[in-house]
């Protein structure tokens, strides 16, 4: 049994190794990567069928590592192990999981027994094991009244990257009115009432800036997500710069 642990924190990496080796004494080989780039290269070289993967690592995020692994071998069982329950990470994972793949998402705040249960479930029993807090976020994402749709999430990202309504429309293949409608839906779900709708606090808050703050406070977006999206925006701008 070959297990790769990709984790930049030495103490967490040691804990994960010890837990894996205690679960399957004498029946497991553990290989380690201390950053995302090393994890991608090591996975390509050894093709481990089981991976413990931190989501926030230098050089490449856990989501980028998982995408590279699953692109080569969709049957790899991955246990995401993170300090964070941000909706941005939950969405990022959901977007890359191949159909029928086995994976888990456990928080580092889980007990040692919780970690062992997740490892057994994902690696040995072939079950998807999702932390209760993460499951709650997944349900919120899927709620059509409370959750932000994929299209609305794109508009939120575009706002955070500083794009104008015209640029958002061009990037997403929408009319300007369609782009503004999506942004309005984002405001509604974040509880923001724009000045033109008679907000009493319109003189206090800028709607776009307020949306970015509330989204970050809720974990809808984070710095890792914005870095990934900036790379995608740069690629789009290189091909089809918006009109100004």
């Amino acid at each position: 049994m070959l297990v790769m642990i990709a984790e930049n924190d030495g103490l967490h990496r040691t804990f994960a190794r010890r837990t894996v080796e205690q679960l399957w004494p004498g029946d497991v080989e553990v290989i380690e990567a201390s950053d995302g780039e090393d994890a991608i290269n090591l996975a390509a070289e050894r093709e481990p069928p089981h991976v413990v993967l931190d989501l926030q690592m230098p050089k490449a995020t856990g989501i980028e590592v998982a995408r590279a692994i699953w692109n080569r071998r969709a049957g790899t069982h991955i246990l995401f192990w993170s300090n964070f329950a941000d909706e941005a990470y939950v969405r990022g994972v959901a977007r890359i999981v191949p159909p029928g793949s086995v994976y888990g998402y456990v928080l580092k705040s889980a007990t040692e027994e919780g970690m062992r249960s997740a490892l057994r479930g994902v690696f040995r029993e072939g079950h998807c094991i999702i932390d209760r807090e993460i499951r709650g976020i997944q349900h919120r994402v899927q709620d059509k009244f409370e959750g932000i749709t994929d299209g609305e999430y794109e508009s939120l990202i575009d706002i955070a990257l500083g794009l104008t309504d015209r640029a958002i429309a061009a990037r997403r293949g929408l009319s300007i009115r369609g782009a503004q409608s999506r942004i309005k839906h984002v405001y509604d779900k974040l509880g923001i009432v724009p000045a033109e709708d008679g907000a009493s606090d319109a003189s206090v808050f800028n709607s776009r800036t307020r949306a970015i703050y509330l989204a970050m406070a809720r974990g809808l977006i984070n710095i890792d997500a914005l870095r990934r999206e900036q790379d995608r925006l740069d690629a789009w701008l290189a091909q089809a710069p918006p009109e100004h």
Side-chain angles (χ1 to χ4, degrees):
M1 181 178 181
L2 178 62
V3 176
M4 181 177 81
I5 298 171
E7 164 65 65
N8 64 295
D9 183 277
L11 290 176
H12 284 140
R13 199 165 59 247
T14 299
F15 168 78
R17 170 186 275 274
R18 185 179 71 246
T19 304
V20 168
E21 291 177 338
Q22 288 175 349
L23 270 176
W24 298 290
D27 189 35
V28 62
E29 177 186 358
V30 178
I31 55 178
E32 298 182 5
S34 59
D35 62 55
E37 187 177 285
D38 284 347
I40 291 172
N41 293 335
L42 187 58
E45 177 187 346
R46 298 293 305 276
E47 295 191 344
H50 309 99
V51 177
V52 178
L53 185 56
D54 186 18
L55 279 169
Q56 192 175 60
M57 292 186 292
K59 298 186 179 180
T61 67
I63 290 171
E64 291 165 336
V65 174
R67 182 188 291 112
I69 290 173
W70 274 327
N71 281 344
R72 293 178 60 91
R73 190 176 185 275
T76 304
H77 293 199
I78 297 179
L79 177 61
F80 294 98
W81 189 41
S82 178
N83 279 319
F84 304 99
D86 291 5
E87 188 169 325
Y89 286 127
V90 175
R91 281 181 178 272
V93 169
R95 286 181 172 182
I96 65 170
V97 177
S101 291
V102 175
Y103 78 101
Y105 193 139
V106 65
L107 296 175
K108 290 179 180 177
S109 57
T111 63
E112 188 169 344
E113 179 54 37
M115 179 64 168
R116 285 196 293 266
S117 295
L119 287 165
R120 279 193 298 264
V122 175
F123 290 174
R124 279 296 199 201
E125 299 165 9
H127 297 156
C128 289
I129 307 295
I130 311 297
D131 186 277
R132 181 180 300 177
E133 184 176 350
I134 303 302
R135 184 74 69 184
I137 294 172
Q138 289 177 330
H139 290 162
R140 185 175 69 197
V141 168
Q142 295 165 2
D143 188 307
K144 66 179 181 179
F145 296 109
E146 182 182 1
I148 301 289
T149 67
D150 287 344
E152 292 161 358
Y153 182 76
E154 288 176 349
S155 294
L156 181 59
I157 288 292
D158 289 341
I159 290 172
L161 293 175
L163 296 186
T164 64
D165 291 355
R166 182 180 296 276
I168 292 172
R171 186 183 187 199
R172 303 302 180 183
L174 302 169
S175 66
I176 293 177
R177 187 178 296 274
Q180 291 170 338
S181 177
R182 276 193 183 178
I183 293 169
K184 174 65 163 57
H185 290 158
V186 172
Y187 290 166
D188 288 344
K189 291 182 178 180
L190 293 176
I192 298 169
V193 183
E196 58 269 24
D197 290 347
S200 60
D201 56 359
S203 62
V204 177
F205 295 120
N206 173 282
S207 296
R208 285 172 111 86
T209 307
R210 186 65 175 169
I212 296 168
Y213 163 74
L214 291 173
M216 295 195 79
R218 173 171 153 178
L220 269 167
I221 56 178
N222 58 32
I223 192 63
D224 283 342
L226 290 178
R227 284 174 179 150
R228 290 195 306 273
E229 294 296 339
Q230 181 64 53
D231 290 341
R232 291 177 182 142
L233 176 60
D234 289 342
W236 176 75
L237 288 170
Q239 294 179 355
E243 297 179 1
H244 298 285

